[in-house]
Amino acid sequence: MLKYQARIYVTLRPSVLDPAGVAVQSGLKHMGYDNVEQVRIGKYVEVTLDAESEDAARQQLDIICDRLLANPVIENYCFELTQLSEAAGVKG
Amino acid sequence: MKFGVIVFPGSNCDRDVAYVTRDLLAQPTRMVWHEETDISDLDVVVIPGGFSYGDYLRCGAIARFSPVMKATVEHANKGKLVLGICNGFQVLTEAGLLPGALVRNRDLHFICDRVSLRVERTNLPWTQLYQTGQVITLPIAHGEGNYYADADTLAQLEDNDLVLFRYEGENPNGSLNNIAGICNIKGNVLGMMPHPERASDPMLGGTDGMKLFEGLLKVAVGALA
């Protein structure tokens, strides 16, 4: 088994209003940053898992994201996968 | 008519619902812990409001995987009645029993208020004691009650008359088409953001929600299947 870390980004689909993003953008505007066109706020999730291979890890993460971490009705997700060194895995 | 009220860690309107069904309506009512798997004794399952699992990740996202939800889906598939109120509505959408999703309120506020609602359809147990087009007042209390669905889903809801309650006048949260409550195509699953259980006892200053619960008593068990 190999140890992997996934950095998962969950973002609202472009068609869904993001009122928090709009509020932050308006805050930036008050600070003078008139050049900021859009702010969208998402979620960042780190998952560490054991898997046979990178492919197996990716497949499992797709299911995890699709079933729980993101709601496909309103959100998109993507992730970056890194294989952790044996030592780092043991230390957690 | 036997009621069951599901209790998730973080549910906080469960006892309000039980007060209505057990004390005001004098119906047998059972509190159902979310780890239970057998709810075959129940006629109506109510998923109450609150903050299941602290609303971590997304409202209703974690609750949807509680053991009792598998039984609730089966209960619904048999044509038996399922009511989701507020967080319960969010759980029902996460579980796929109702389409769409509830997202953050348009103005970012948690809203605790009384709102006017128009009853759109009255040929279902939930609304049979109201008049079509009747405007009622119910409390709302939510931060994520903004109903969202893609254009196709929304058209499907409207074409099949699945919107039971619509905000009348000002839209408090930005919901598409002013949607406050929808049912599934069979009509046996209802999700709504307003709280009918908080408007059922005259002591609380309003009784417009009581007719929803009273309507259920007129339903023969399993008649919807």
Side-chain angles (χ1 to χ4, degrees):
Chain A
M1 285 296 226
L2 300 164
K3 197 170 280 297
Y4 294 92
Q5 187 187 58
R7 289 180 300 282
I8 302 163
Y9 303 90
V10 180
T11 49
L12 281 173
R13 285 170 58 168
S15 55
V16 180
L17 172 74
D18 177 9
V22 172
V24 171
Q25 185 197 359
S26 118
L28 288 171
K29 201 171 173 186
H30 284 303
M31 291 166 70
Y33 297 105
D34 290 326
N35 60 327
V36 177
E37 275 181 27
Q38 200 189 28
V39 179
R40 303 282 287 176
I41 294 179
K43 287 178 205 136
Y44 171 70
V45 185
E46 282 182 4
V47 172
T48 309
L49 75 168
D50 294 322
E52 301 274 349
S53 65
E54 187 178 321
D55 269 358
R58 283 186 184 281
Q59 275 180 24
Q60 201 181 9
L61 282 162
D62 267 324
I63 295 168
I64 287 173
C65 288
D66 213 49
R67 292 194 71 198
L68 180 63
L69 299 186
N71 176 349
V73 174
I74 47 169
E75 292 168 329
N76 294 326
Y77 69 86
C78 62
F79 57 82
E80 298 156 2
L81 197 61
T82 320
Q83 190 184 327
L84 298 178
S85 71
E86 221 43 47
V90 172
K91 279 182 199 155
Chain B
M1 183 66 74
K2 185 164 180 184
F3 287 83
V5 184
I6 296 180
V7 183
F8 293 107
S11 295
N12 66 6
C13 302
D14 44 349
R15 280 169 289 180
D16 298 6
V17 174
Y19 172 70
V20 173
T21 59
R22 182 188 290 149
D23 298 338
L24 298 181
L25 285 177
Q27 299 299 307
T29 299
R30 184 159 80 78
M31 305 309 276
V32 182
W33 184 234
H34 71 110
E35 285 174 347
E36 290 188 36
T37 51
D38 184 3
I39 55 169
S40 54
D41 58 315
L42 303 175
D43 299 310
V44 184
V45 172
V46 183
I47 309 179
F51 300 85
S52 56
Y53 293 88
D55 278 352
Y56 293 151
L57 198 59
R58 285 183 316 279
C59 304
I62 302 175
R64 169 243 188 290
F65 290 101
S66 274
V68 76
M69 285 310 295
K70 190 164 175 270
T72 301
V73 171
E74 285 164 11
H75 179 96
N77 287 342
K78 284 181 198 156
K80 295 163 103 178
L81 297 166
V82 179
L83 169 62
I85 302 167
C86 202
N87 191 236
F89 186 11
Q90 295 161 342
V91 174
L92 289 178
T93 60
E94 285 285 340
L97 281 174
L98 292 172
L102 283 310
V103 298
R104 191 78 77 89
N105 291 345
R106 175 196 52 218
D107 299 330
L108 283 171
H109 296 137
F110 183 98
I111 313 166
C112 184
D113 206 348
R114 284 192 236 187
V115 296
S116 297
L117 301 164
R118 193 166 67 243
V119 183
E120 296 283 23
R121 180 177 164 188
T122 53
N123 60 346
L124 288 172
W126 314 106
T127 48
Q128 59 182 327
L129 297 183
Y130 297 101
Q131 307 291 316
T132 307
Q134 185 181 348
V135 175
I136 62 172
T137 302
L138 292 183
I140 54 169
H142 59 246
E144 309 199 4
N146 179 350
Y147 184 80
Y148 175 85
D150 61 36
D152 286 350
T153 306
L154 212 53
Q156 235 170 15
L157 286 173
E158 297 292 355
D159 292 349
N160 293 295
D161 291 324
L162 303 182
V163 179
L164 263 54
F165 299 104
R166 233 185 272 272
Y167 299 110
E168 172 78 6
E170 201 193 343
N171 179 331
N173 53 30
S175 275
L176 293 178
N177 294 18
N178 299 318
I179 286 173
I182 57 169
C183 66
N184 62 343
I185 195 97
K186 265 191 190 169
N188 63 312
V189 179
L190 167 64
M192 61 193 296
M193 289 314 295
H195 287 267
E197 82 282 12
R198 294 189 190 175
S200 291
D201 185 341
M203 288 276 282
L204 296 177
T207 54
D208 282 356
M210 190 57 163
K211 282 196 169 72
L212 187 147
F213 295 101
E214 283 170 343
L216 302 182
L217 304 186
K218 294 185 128 194
V219 184
V221 175
L224 272 170

